[in-house]
Structures are given as C-alpha cells and as structure tokens.
Amino acid sequence: MHDGAELLTGQPRRARPSLVVVNYASASLLEVGLAPLAREVRSQRPDAVVVVVDNWSSAPERQRARAMAEREGWVLVEAPNTGFGDGVNTGIAAARAAGAAVHVVINPDATASAADLDVLLRRVESDPMLLVAPEVRTPEGTLWSALNDLHLVDGSVRSARHRREDDAVVPWVSGACFAVTDHLWDTVGGFRAEYFLYWEDIDLCHRVQQAGGRVEVDADAVVIHDEGGTQRMDGRGSAKSTTHYYYTARNRLLFAATGLDRRARVRWIAATPRVAWRVVLHGERRRLLQDRQPLVAAARGVLAGLLRRWEKPAAALPRTTADRPAVVVAVLTYRRPRDLAELLPQLTAQLAEVSERVSRGRLLVVDNDPDAGAAAVVAAAAASSPPGVEVVHVHEPRPGIAAARDRALRDAAHEDLLVFIDDDERPVPGWLSAHLATWRARRPAAVVGPVTSAFATHLDPWVQAGGFFHRRRLPTGSAVSVAATNNLLLDLRAVRAAGLSFDAGFGTAGGEDTLFTRRLHARGGELLWCAEAGVTDIVPCERATRRWVVRRAYSSGNAWTRTAVLMAPGSLARTSARTAGVARGGVRLVAGLGRLGAGALRPGARGLSSRARGVRTAARGAGMLMGALEVGYDEYRRPRRAATARR
C-alpha cells in the first residue's frame, strides 16, 4: 500500500525519525544546542519526534526542562538518574511509542545540522543492521572521535587510525551521537543499564557486531562536541571528573566479566594497573602534582570492577505485553479473621473498579494457618463479591511467610500480574488502579507502593521520638532497587524469566522479600515507585512497643546482610560481602551506642530522640554483624502451641 507522497514522488515513504537526548543538569545546553537543531530538523521532517529524558539532578533543572519541552513541543520523560545508557533506553522507548522507527541519539553538549543527521538517518534506513556515527570534532575543529578500537589483548582503547594488521580489536563509536533502527535496537536489546556511565557504547558496539551488524563512522556527517559542557560534574573545573575515572576503571572490568572468556579476563586484570594509569595520565598530568583524587577514584573503580568481575550481565527482562492483563491480588493471612473480613470487600471493590482494563480479576487468599481457619471468612467474601471478581481460598500448611508468598506465585503462574497486600493493611481509594497505571506507563518488572502506619493505641513517646514507623516517600516513577512485598505489583513474565521464587530458607525469619526483589533488580528487572498506590498498615498494640521496634531493627539489619551474602557471585565476593557486613554492622553498633550515650546527657525531647535513634542504629548494626556471621533471626517464629485467633 502506498500513501500520497510516495505516488507523487516515486520514492518510498521514509520512516518517522526521532532525536533522543538524555539531559542531566544541562538545561542551558538544551536551550542553545537542541532547541535550534530540533527546529531545523522539523522544518525538513515535520514528523520528527524529539524526546528529552531528564535524569533527575535538581528541582530547578527539571522545571527548566519541563518549561522548554512544553514550549518546543518535545516529549519529556521525567526519570530518576539511572545513568546514561538507561536514559537512552527510556528515550527510544518513548520515541517508539510516538511512532518513530529510526533514531538519532545526541548529547546535550553536541551540536550538528539537520543535514548531518539526515546523512546518518539515510544510512541506517538503507541498512537496518548498521549503527553509524558521525565524525566528532571539538569546537576548535580538531578530531575528537571517529572510529575507535578496543584492543582485546589488554582492554586498552585507541584510535582505529593506529590499528595494525594483526591487532585483535572491537571497532566502536562514541555514544555522543549515533543513529540506529528499531530492528537493530531490538536485536541487541539496547544499552546495558549496569554500566551507568562510560563503556556502555563500547559494549553496545560489541554486541551489535556479535549479532551480525556493522559499526561505522560516516565522515560526511560532522558533529561538534563540547565535552566540557557535561563532564565538569565535580565542581573543580577540570576536563575530567573523578566520576569519569571511577566508572572508566570499573566498567572496563565489567565488560571483561560479561564479554570475554576466562583467559582473556585474566589478561585484562593483569594489565589493569598499566591501563588505569595511562587513562589517568591522559586526562590530568598537571593535576596529579597537586591532587590525588583521580588516582583514588580510579583505584576505587578498579576495586569495584574486581569485586563484580564474575557477575552475569543484568540483561533487561521480558515484560508482559497484554493490553488487558490478567490480575491476581494476593492476601497472605495467619489467624486474623477480623482484619480479613474488613479487607476482602475493599479488595473485591478495587478489582471491580478496574474490570474494564483487565481480562480477568481474581482475589487469592493464602491461608497459612495449619487449621485453615480463614476458609469461612473467604467464603463469605466470595458470596458477596461483585460480578466478574473471583475470590479463591488456598491453604498453605508449610509455616512461614516465604512459603505463603511462594504459594501465591505458584497459584498465579498462568496470570500476568500479581499484587501483594498484607491482611493487616487497607488500600487507599484507587490503589489498584494506580498500580496498573504506573505499570502500563513503562511495563516495569515491579511497582512499589508506599505504606502509612495507623496505630491502635497512643505511641510510646520513645517510639515516636525514634521515628521507627517513618517510611520512605518518593515521586511516582522513581527507580528503586529493593522493596517489601506488603504493597507490591509483580510482572509475572519478568519474574518467570528471572527464574525467581521466594527462598524457603527464610521461612519464619523475614527478609524473603528483600532477597527476592534484590535478585529481581540484579537480573535486569526495573522496580518503579508509585506514590498514589498507598496502603495503611494497622499497627496493633503489641507492635507499638519498644521491645518490638528494637527487634524489628535487629531483624532488618540481619536480613540485609544475609541477602547480600547470598547474592554475592562466587566465594571471593561472598567473603567480601561478609567482611563488609561485619565492618558496616560494627560501625553502626558503635555509632548507635555513642548516640545513645550522647542522648543520655541531653535533657528533653532532643535527648529522647537521640537515645531512641541510637538504640535503633545499634540494634540494626548488631543484626548486620550477626547476619554476616550467618546467624539468622526468626522474627515470625511460632510457639509450639498455636496462638489463639484474634477476635
């Protein structure tokens, strides 16, 4: 089928293009660089999409980007700062959602003409497996970057102009500006977010060639790159920041871990001191006479890279694509009939509210009582549930919260989304709808909602002064790396692809959700915050005591260190995680005791707050210390005789 333009010109209709820019504290550069370029491009290609991904730096910067995007008609994606590569991934996803199929990625501090970008676009349109970049020059006209080589013998980087015939190299181009098609982007999966800054372009070019694609520089296109525009991130006015040295050293070893065989990795590690020293000298010869920060930053990067060198790559996980997903809301319960009877009608109403947006809505109650005591309450809720909302009771006799959560995963195996909520919580109006809206916007592996505490009794002033029930609050769309499962939506396709389940070893200890979500994130799953999907946690009298909150602080620290050790890849990394746990736990223990002592010398509310916070810090430190020594804590252990049901 042809459109009118093709019939009139005899030329095939070109794909819709996009300009994608990742902004970080560079709104002034967008004003002088991107704005005139975008206008020029749109004068020639009115269908062009301009996407700016604003990686969070400050509220004024975001407001400037927001005002500029509104004025210029750009698509603005307000993102947390998860790095350059992840920002590009987000920008291209937004451009594709707007109908673009070929993309030019360009830095805020790079300037070009529409004609230069059109050269790149035409090249990739004629060859969908080509990633092409322009010649990049400095404002003075000297060559800044063309085709470069990664030398596989030692991991050094040089210009391709110095390549010898027998060199084993990976050609690569700078991420400052390049063009790519949807086809190639899908083939390689985009940038790997774990690089954060630097080397993500080398890694991308390597994977393009592994997939049968090509990487080239077209000298007919020239871009001017003012590198100092975005690199002065440490306020020193230097050409290279300490951030540059840290990530350059770290990511070289990360590339070795994910792209090379064992023998090559050993060669790269042996060459690390020489290569890192060369990088530091190339950037700051004179600065080294007065400031050792570049050396310190590079050394830290090398250490970080060595500790991660055996990790598997965290490739992006597949996501559910259904427009109307099948949703299961799961409630775990253990002998709380009153709470359950109050909660279930609220959940069935929320499922009915979203019925037109889901293909199926099901409420699943996982009863962890050995006597299956919740059956009658669930049956009553099922009898009065709205049409189309299924209410199901399942009995999980194995004791422990990990077993109950894993049962919910198994029973939802053929669904799309699983949403966890606890039986002592109450969702705010629109809770489920907000979860689904955040999931639809970006299709993350998980959506995390906030929890607010409500108390059945007046709080002990000591507990209140310590802020024990203060929870984190983030803007919607913020990325997180760990979450509790008491208010959590899971994309089950991503969970299945990651091969995850809840670790039964945490049985009655707690911390199974920490391990699960940390593993989900480490395996490429995106976890996003949704501020509107709140729940209220009804805190009973027995949990508002000094004894309980101190035990919870200890348990939290214990679970964090245990999960860190379990996640560490290989014996060396596990030893490092244990050592770090001992060190951090010890520091917290000492600092908490010091704060407790200082509070004892202060009168009034400030002294009370200092004492309470000191005890909490010390308890968490003690838990971390014992977790590092692999001494667990069963927070949810049950007495030998079942407790009397709450009435």
Side-chain angles (χ1 to χ4, degrees):
M1 184 175 292
H2 304 278
D3 62 13
E6 183 175 344
L7 290 172
L8 288 172
T9 63
Q11 298 294 324
R13 185 178 184 275
R14 297 180 65 186
R16 189 175 192 182
S18 77
L19 291 181
V20 175
V21 177
V22 177
N23 176 60
Y24 177 77
S26 306
S28 58
L29 295 175
L30 297 179
E31 187 76 59
V32 300
L34 178 63
L37 173 60
R39 293 185 205 119
E40 184 185 359
V41 169
R42 282 177 160 175
S43 70
Q44 300 180 19
R45 298 289 300 274
D47 63 337
V49 179
V50 180
V51 179
V52 174
V53 179
D54 183 56
N55 273 354
W56 174 265
S57 60
S58 68
E61 276 287 325
R62 174 143 298 176
Q63 185 55 43
R64 289 183 66 188
R66 193 178 292 153
M68 206 180 314
E70 185 176 351
R71 184 191 74 213
E72 299 288 340
W74 301 339
V75 176
L76 179 69
V77 181
E78 298 181 1
N81 184 17
T82 53
F84 171 74
D86 199 40
V88 172
N89 293 342
T90 300
I92 288 183
R96 295 176 70 171
V102 290
H103 315 280
V104 173
V105 176
I106 187 166
N107 274 11
D109 54 3
T111 57
S113 69
D116 289 313
L117 301 190
D118 196 56
V119 169
L120 304 179
L121 288 169
R122 289 184 181 275
R123 289 292 310 279
V124 297
E125 285 171 337
S126 64
D127 185 353
M129 288 296 287
L130 173 67
L131 187 149
V132 63
E135 277 193 353
V136 184
R137 295 187 174 273
T138 67
E140 295 75 29
T142 58
L143 186 66
W144 182 81
S145 177
L147 191 65
N148 304 297
D149 284 339
L150 169 66
H151 287 254
L152 293 175
V153 67
D154 61 358
S156 59
V157 173
R158 302 167 209 165
S159 169
R161 291 175 295 168
H162 306 304
R163 184 192 302 171
R164 294 177 301 192
E165 200 171 312
D166 58 344
D167 285 341
V169 299
V170 173
W172 64 276
V173 296
S174 168
C177 182
F178 65 90
V180 67
T181 64
D182 273 356
H183 176 71
L184 182 55
W185 199 251
D186 283 339
T187 300
V188 298
F191 282 119
R192 282 179 172 155
E194 63 265 40
Y195 282 89
F196 192 77
L197 280 174
Y198 307 114
W199 275 74
E200 69 283 312
D201 43 12
I202 299 177
D203 174 76
L204 178 69
C205 292
H206 181 224
R207 289 185 287 116
V208 164
Q209 292 163 88
Q210 284 185 316
R214 293 182 300 116
V215 174
E216 291 184 5
V217 167
D218 193 316
D220 290 337
V222 176
V223 166
I224 306 302
H225 187 215
D226 179 16
E227 184 184 15
T230 56
Q231 284 239 350
R232 297 186 181 96
M233 295 184 290
D234 57 0
R236 299 172 179 268
S238 60
K240 301 289 185 182
S241 67
T242 53
T243 304
H244 166 86
Y245 296 113
Y246 173 83
Y247 281 108
T248 298
R250 168 193 178 272
N251 291 348
R252 171 180 171 273
L253 293 171
L254 180 57
F255 178 90
T258 60
L260 302 177
D261 60 31
R262 186 180 183 87
R263 181 174 297 180
R265 289 198 296 265
V266 171
R267 286 202 313 269
W268 280 39
I269 291 169
T272 290
R274 172 173 53 83
V275 174
W277 176 247
R278 186 187 299 163
V279 169
V280 173
L281 286 182
H282 179 72
E284 305 283 346
R285 288 178 185 269
R286 284 180 293 181
R287 179 179 169 186
L288 285 176
L289 298 175
Q290 301 174 332
D291 186 359
R292 298 298 181 189
Q293 287 303 308
L295 281 175
V296 172
R300 287 179 53 242
V302 168
L303 180 60
L306 288 173
L307 292 177
R308 296 188 58 174
R309 66 185 183 274
W310 307 121
E311 285 189 356
K312 295 180 179 179
L317 294 172
R319 306 173 185 192
T320 296
T321 58
D323 291 330
R324 297 181 67 235
V327 177
V328 178
V329 175
V331 182
L332 277 58
T333 190
Y334 175 71
R335 298 192 170 184
R336 285 178 173 158
R338 283 190 175 181
D339 280 330
L340 199 62
E342 185 177 335
L343 173 63
L344 294 186
Q346 296 180 30
L347 295 180
T348 56
Q350 298 240 1
L351 281 163
E353 181 184 309
V354 301
S355 60
E356 294 185 358
R357 284 171 278 167
V358 303
S359 62
R360 180 187 181 196
R362 188 158 63 102
L363 177 56
L364 176 69
V365 180
V366 181
D367 189 352
N368 205 212
D369 177 6
D371 301 324
V377 176
V378 178
S384 60
S385 66
V389 176
E390 183 183 1
V391 181
V392 179
H393 172 268
V394 296
H395 181 219
E396 177 50 61
R398 291 180 301 160
I401 194 167
R405 294 208 187 281
D406 205 48
R407 176 63 184 269
L409 268 186
R410 295 199 312 272
D411 275 58
H414 301 295
E415 316 289 346
D416 298 313
L417 304 177
L418 173 63
V419 189
F420 279 115
I421 185 171
D422 284 355
D423 59 0
D424 56 352
E425 293 176 339
R426 305 293 178 267
V428 301
W431 163 77
L432 185 56
S433 181
H435 263 303
L436 292 174
T438 300
W439 174 80
R440 287 179 188 280
R442 197 156 151 181
R443 306 286 171 113
V447 178
V448 186
V451 179
T452 302
S453 295
F455 304 97
T457 184
H458 291 294
L459 276 184
D460 182 328
W462 185 89
V463 174
Q464 191 165 8
F468 290 99
F469 290 96
H470 293 170
R471 318 266 189 156
R472 61 178 173 176
R473 291 289 183 270
L474 299 170
T476 295
S478 299
V480 297
S481 58
V482 63
T485 44
N486 55 347
N487 186 11
L488 180 72
L489 176 149
L490 293 173
D491 185 319
L492 293 176
R493 186 180 181 199
V495 170
R496 288 189 289 266
L500 290 178
S501 60
F502 289 95
D503 192 330
F506 281 80
T508 57
E512 80 295 331
D513 47 2
T514 300
L515 180 62
F516 183 93
T517 54
R518 289 182 75 181
R519 280 176 167 166
L520 181 61
H521 181 264
R523 296 178 189 182
E526 184 179 40
L527 283 66
L528 294 184
W529 187 267
C530 178
E532 296 77 22
V535 300
T536 300
D537 178 30
I538 309 300
V539 181
C541 298
E542 60 268 22
R543 290 193 177 188
T545 64
R546 299 186 188 192
R547 177 182 174 84
W548 189 89
V549 296
V550 171
R551 286 167 52 196
R552 170 53 66 94
Y554 178 93
S555 174
S556 175
N558 186 268
W560 181 263
T561 309
R562 289 181 65 200
T563 59
V565 173
L566 284 171
M567 288 182 62
S571 58
L572 178 61
R574 283 194 293 274
T575 300
S576 174
R578 290 191 188 96
T579 303
V582 169
R584 292 172 183 167
V587 168
R588 282 178 178 267
L589 179 60
V590 172
L593 293 175
R595 194 170 189 176
L596 173 63
L601 303 177
R602 289 182 180 177
R606 292 185 63 186
L608 182 63
S609 175
S610 182
R611 293 193 298 275
R613 291 175 183 270
V615 170
R616 178 181 63 179
T617 301
R620 182 172 173 85
M624 294 174 69
L625 185 63
M626 299 308 289
L629 300 176
E630 299 188 46
V631 177
Y633 176 69
D634 286 339
E635 182 179 358
Y636 300 102
R637 65 183 179 273
R638 299 176 183 178
R640 290 184 180 179
R641 293 187 176 181
T644 302
R646 281 169 42 181
R647 302 186 186 278

